[in-house]
Amino acid sequence: QMCIRDRYKGCFLMNINFYDFSNTTKIQGTVPHITFNNLNGIDFIKHGFSTRLGGVSKGIYSSMNLSFTRGDDEKAVSRNFEIIGNELDMDVNSMVYAMQTHTTNVMKVTKEHCGMGITRERNFSDVDGLITNEPGVTLVTSYADCVPLFFADTRNKAIGLSHSGWRGTVGNIADVTVKMMEKEYNTDPADIVAFIGPSICHNCYEVSEDVAEQFAKAYGTEVFEDILYIKDNGKFKLDLWRANYRNLINAGILPENIGITDICTCCNSDLLFSHRASKGMRGGMCGFLTIKGE
């Protein structure tokens, strides 16, 4: 069987003109966190993305670790959620924390779910995306290189927040999230403003041939135009930002309504947790998205 490198030899090019960030992200706050310019302009939502700074965790988790599953002291993690919640003006008891296992499962959440995963036990598992249209429900998903996808339906006032690693990207959790919002909230994709959040850039993200094969199957030969290219060592570089951008466009979101991060987690491991940069010795960051209370 001919390998992927031989089948597509000579097709491995990156579209280096794709990224025009235009100051898409902003680091701010007493407790450092990141916001996104296209979401800052939407008056009915609050959002934020944590950094690794400003918390109470120690050692490899220093200091704003928001993961309960990495071995950190649970009391420190709970305190970190209180600190970042206060900074973002989001009550910890309003938060619903996804139980991520690299699926494309997206769940509708309501006030009945508030606190789950942080202040009380979840009644769900294997969920990598959350949607809601209820004010005062804060969606929370966790990251340390994978791609955060933020969604805001500006007409019907509904939101979504999904975790898209390579499995979620090739499985197209972006499209699943949009379709769930269409089904549950009558969302028109043309009304969605979306953001591809801080995550690993293509220069830092080397993958094996079996992962490259899955992207080739999902995207066809076009994958080599701007998503995947081969290295001299036979491994591949994968551009999750561009792949998720394509997924959002194919889901019906307008190009002018999509923002893309200008911050790589791996390149900035002093500011952000990166699984690759730390070789797994790390904490986790979170994305937060909520509809303001009425």
Side-chain angles (χ1 to χ4, degrees):
Q1 184 178 357
M2 188 179 293
C3 76
I4 191 171
R5 294 189 301 274
D6 294 331
R7 276 188 282 141
Y8 300 108
K9 188 175 182 180
C11 297
F12 301 90
L13 303 173
M14 295 295 291
N15 182 354
I16 60 174
N17 297 318
F18 170 66
Y19 297 109
D20 178 16
F21 300 112
S22 301
N23 191 26
T24 55
T25 54
K26 184 183 300 182
I27 302 171
Q28 60 189 41
T30 304
V31 179
H33 64 280
I34 301 170
T35 62
F36 314 127
N37 287 355
N38 68 340
L39 298 185
N40 284 331
I42 301 174
D43 60 5
F44 71 90
I45 66 170
K46 292 183 287 187
H47 78 284
F49 190 85
S50 68
T51 68
R52 66 178 300 165
L53 308 178
V56 299
S57 293
K58 305 296 183 183
I60 63 170
Y61 311 110
S62 176
S63 61
M64 182 55 76
N65 171 39
L66 298 175
S67 173
F68 288 101
T69 62
R70 305 298 305 178
D72 194 7
D73 177 55
E74 289 191 6
K75 290 182 180 178
V77 180
S78 295
R79 178 60 185 143
N80 288 338
F81 270 106
E82 292 173 359
I83 293 169
I84 192 67
N86 289 337
E87 176 69 22
L88 298 176
D89 191 25
M90 299 177 187
D91 187 345
V92 169
N93 293 304
S94 76
M95 296 178 183
V96 185
Y97 196 178
M99 180 62 175
Q100 297 164 202
T101 52
H102 296 280
T103 68
T104 56
N105 298 330
V106 178
M107 176 178 163
K108 175 184 176 181
V109 297
T110 68
K111 287 183 178 176
E112 294 180 357
H113 298 95
C114 283
M116 288 187 177
I118 299 174
T119 60
R120 62 191 182 109
E121 292 295 319
R122 301 177 180 93
N123 64 0
F124 60 88
S125 62
D126 302 313
V127 171
D128 282 75
L130 303 169
I131 62 170
T132 195
N133 68 344
E134 293 193 15
V137 178
T138 302
L139 309 182
V140 182
T141 48
S142 181
Y143 304 92
D145 279 338
C146 293
V147 180
L149 299 176
F150 289 73
F151 304 82
D153 175 351
T154 57
R155 180 168 60 90
N156 291 332
K157 295 187 176 180
I159 57 174
L161 181 58
S162 291
H163 161 261
S164 188
W166 77 257
R167 291 177 180 85
T169 301
V170 79
N172 206 349
I173 195 171
D175 188 66
V176 174
T177 307
V178 171
K179 282 185 166 53
M180 277 280 290
M181 292 177 71
E182 290 181 80
K183 176 185 175 184
E184 297 293 338
Y185 311 127
N186 197 32
T187 294
D188 182 341
D191 294 320
I192 292 178
V193 173
F195 198 87
I196 298 167
S199 41
I200 195 166
C201 75
H202 69 273
N203 284 327
C204 293
Y205 196 34
E206 182 180 277
V207 298
S208 59
E209 185 169 319
D210 61 327
V211 174
E213 283 277 10
Q214 294 195 46
F215 275 82
K217 289 177 182 176
Y219 292 86
T221 56
E222 291 182 4
V223 74
F224 300 111
E225 293 177 10
D226 47 25
I227 294 175
L228 195 69
Y229 71 99
I230 195 168
K231 296 180 64 183
D232 291 339
N233 65 0
K235 296 290 185 73
F236 295 79
K237 289 290 187 75
L238 176 60
D239 191 336
L240 290 176
W241 299 352
R242 180 68 185 196
N244 277 283
Y245 177 82
R246 281 199 178 198
N247 289 348
L248 294 172
I249 291 291
N250 290 336
I253 301 177
L254 302 176
E256 59 266 31
N257 288 343
I258 301 172
I260 304 169
T261 188
D262 50 4
I263 302 177
C264 168
T265 47
C266 192
C267 290
N268 298 280
S269 58
D270 56 338
L271 174 68
L272 305 168
F273 289 115
S274 168
H275 191 80
R276 287 263 167 147
S278 67
K279 296 179 171 56
M281 305 294 287
R282 50 87 181 171
M285 304 165 298
C286 282
F288 300 85
L289 182 61
T290 190
I291 299 172
K292 295 177 182 177
E294 296 175 343

